[in-house]
Amino acid sequence: MKTLFSACCISLLMTLCAQAQTNNDAWKAADVQLRFLLEQTALNRKSIADKSKLMPRCVEKDGSLRLVGIGDWCSGFFPGELWLMWQHTQDDFWREWAVSNTWKLEELKWNNSSHDLGFMVYNSFGKAYELTGERSYRDVVIQAAKTLASRYDANVGCIRSWSWGTPDRWQFAVIIDNMMNLELLFQASLLTGDRQYYDMAVSHANQTLKNHFREDFSSYHVVDYNPADGSVIKRITHQGIADESVWSRGQAWGLYGFTMCYRYTKDVHYLQQAQQIARFFFGQKDLPADLIPYWDMRDPAIKTHPTEVPRDASAAAVFASGLYELATYVGEAEAQTYRRLADGILQSLTTQYQPAPETSQGFLLLHSTGNYPANDEIDVPIIYADYYYLEALTRQEALGK
Ligand code: GLY
């Protein structure tokens, strides 16, 4: 018995050492790649006159770097990555780049045209405030939350997602992705003591829990509400293959989002929702063995020529980060399941989804899919995959300690 126990301990120790080594390798590779991305970004910004506020978003199919303006929903991920690098290394090189890139986004605190202020401002200024405690970052977070709150509609009980789209397409679209923006509101309530942001976030989460999910806990992408009375008009997709399909990143936003809502509220319904999403998604028989999902788990081509169906490394990275947090709220046996899944995802991403050093414009991960139906960003490196990958590595390391 004693020998068996020792053998188990040794095997566990070996697994932990191997995992720590992979985590270490991943950060080293990220260091090299992100320095390269900084160079490529500066080079490309210069070549288009003074566009110093442009941020990297993805690598185009032809290998060039796509830069976007600060109003793009992805603008906060690059500064966020720089903060995560600083958090890990404590090297002032990263802090200086993180500070200068973060402040480029300041004017977004007044931008009421996007529900994605959470992604844009919370992953940049919010991260900066979390890591430095400096008041100037906090003030931007609070103003951005006020601006985001202006998109809340009391009849619907949600933050409006897209403002574009004719009324026959949708009247008041709410997308599952929007769960991620609630963090900005929860945090603003904590920082100001003003409960209105908390109440809006809770209402949005409750409406999403009620209206966005099927019986099997898979999620629709878009719910269109009637702004007159808050009733559901229809449930459709925008980035998935069909209205009734399982768009992978949407499932990941849901798991991460409800786990985050549980962090702020301790409402057990949110925890249970995250648990059910995990059970549903990781129980699918078509899930590839490396745990990196197809871009949509209901793409019919999975049955006929699976190797040609694009994967979505970004969905995997968001899942991994969310699962590490979820593991901290449940009993040990269940926590082990979530940690194993997240470790498995990171192992795959680190060993099979990375480009060679100083290639792919400095992005960290290959094979993400942004918007397949629009034929945009298919099977390419995308900035939010890299951001959530670094966040997941940070969380993995913290749990290991
Ligand atoms: N709207 C965020 C996404 O494409 O996942």
Side-chain angles (χ1 to χ4, degrees):
M1 188 66 180
K2 214 171 165 185
T3 325
L4 182 64
F5 181 71
S6 310
C8 285
C9 287
I10 290 167
S11 143
L12 180 64
L13 203 61
M14 282 166 68
T15 311
L16 289 176
C17 285
Q19 190 184 298
Q21 185 55 44
T22 314
N23 187 292
N24 212 15
D25 292 346
W27 282 108
K28 279 192 191 143
D31 195 291
V32 173
Q33 281 299 86
L34 273 168
R35 283 172 197 264
F36 190 61
L37 179 58
L38 277 169
E39 279 170 29
Q40 299 313 304
T41 302
L43 272 175
N44 281 270
R45 277 175 181 157
K46 273 199 195 117
S47 70
I48 336 175
D50 183 23
K51 299 277 171 55
S52 68
K53 285 187 173 180
L54 293 176
M55 295 287 168
R57 171 162 169 158
C58 67
V59 180
E60 304 283 12
K61 266 288 173 210
D62 67 4
S64 61
L65 177 62
R66 186 191 297 181
L67 295 173
V68 289
I70 60 168
D72 186 275
W73 79 274
C74 293
S75 62
F77 294 117
F78 183 51
E81 277 191 84
L82 300 170
W83 283 115
L84 287 165
M85 284 305 292
W86 180 62
Q87 181 178 11
H88 180 74
T89 61
Q90 292 297 302
D91 180 341
D92 280 343
F93 171 85
W94 294 111
R95 183 176 173 139
E96 281 160 25
W97 281 109
V99 170
S100 59
N101 277 282
T102 295
W103 283 105
K104 287 175 186 175
L105 305 186
E106 186 189 0
E107 69 196 74
L108 289 174
K109 67 188 179 188
W110 306 113
N111 182 343
N112 65 4
S113 70
S114 175
H115 70 122
D116 280 329
L117 277 191
F119 284 119
M120 295 143 96
V121 173
Y122 199 72
N123 294 348
S124 51
F125 285 91
K127 198 84 211 151
Y129 181 63
E130 177 196 323
L131 297 180
T132 68
E134 285 172 25
R135 200 184 167 94
S136 55
Y137 297 121
R138 173 187 182 272
D139 293 346
V140 176
V141 167
I142 293 168
Q143 180 51 54
K146 264 187 207 158
T147 302
L148 180 60
S150 72
R151 296 182 68 81
Y152 180 80
D153 183 287
N155 279 345
V156 177
C158 285
I159 300 283
R160 182 181 196 147
S161 293
W162 298 317
S163 311
W164 53 277
T166 49
D168 56 318
R169 192 166 191 184
W170 46 63
Q171 295 187 28
F172 190 106
V174 177
I175 61 176
I176 186 67
D177 327 25
N178 208 346
M179 285 298 297
M180 301 295 284
N181 294 300
L182 303 184
E183 191 163 6
L184 181 65
L185 298 177
F186 280 126
Q187 197 60 29
S189 267
L190 278 184
L191 294 175
T192 58
D194 182 344
R195 211 187 146 89
Q196 65 162 326
Y197 307 112
Y198 180 98
D199 289 342
M200 287 178 194
V202 164
S203 171
H204 186 109
N206 288 345
Q207 287 295 83
T208 303
L209 196 148
K210 189 167 102 198
N211 296 322
H212 247 92
F213 289 85
R214 305 183 184 98
E215 274 189 10
D216 62 4
F217 294 94
S218 64
S219 160
Y220 287 94
H221 184 201
V222 186
V223 175
D224 182 25
Y225 290 95
N226 181 342
D229 61 7
S231 61
V232 172
I233 298 172
K234 58 181 178 287
R235 297 176 173 87
I236 53 176
T237 195
H238 180 63
Q239 278 158 265
I241 200 159
D243 292 343
E244 293 299 328
S245 74
V246 176
W247 176 54
S248 292
R249 198 164 55 258
Q251 318 307 306
W253 294 141
L255 181 140
Y256 188 117
F258 279 103
T259 305
M260 175 270 295
C261 287
Y262 179 71
R263 184 200 318 153
Y264 285 100
T265 62
K266 296 298 170 222
D267 182 334
V268 75
H269 296 103
Y270 300 155
L271 178 63
Q272 286 166 353
Q273 191 72 10
Q275 289 169 301
Q276 295 285 14
I277 297 169
R279 187 199 50 75
F280 162 77
F281 197 80
F282 292 97
Q284 291 181 90
K285 59 180 178 353
D286 285 333
L287 191 68
D290 67 2
L291 300 176
I292 313 304
Y294 298 110
W295 74 281
D296 188 310
M297 294 303 295
R298 296 293 178 268
D299 184 336
I302 296 171
K303 301 280 183 232
T304 53
H305 35 285
T307 54
E308 288 170 32
V309 180
R311 303 290 190 90
D312 186 10
S314 75
V318 174
F319 268 128
S321 194
L323 286 165
Y324 283 128
E325 179 169 14
L326 186 55
T328 65
Y329 302 137
V330 297
E332 184 48 28
E334 195 179 339
Q336 269 188 31
T337 305
Y338 298 146
R339 286 198 301 264
R340 277 202 194 110
L341 286 169
D343 289 346
I345 290 170
L346 288 191
Q347 174 78 15
S348 295
L349 292 177
T350 302
T351 59
Q352 297 167 53
Y353 285 73
Q354 291 200 342
E358 302 198 343
T359 65
S360 291
Q361 301 286 349
F363 280 73
L364 308 183
L365 296 176
L366 303 166
H367 307 308
S368 288
T369 297
N371 193 342
Y372 186 97
N375 196 22
D376 189 34
E377 297 179 315
I378 300 176
D379 194 22
V380 292
I382 307 182
I383 196 83
Y384 44 87
D386 294 3
Y387 174 86
Y388 288 101
Y389 172 62
L390 289 188
E391 187 183 81
L393 288 170
T394 306
R395 289 180 173 183
Q396 182 189 49
E397 206 173 22
L399 285 177
K401 282 175 187 159

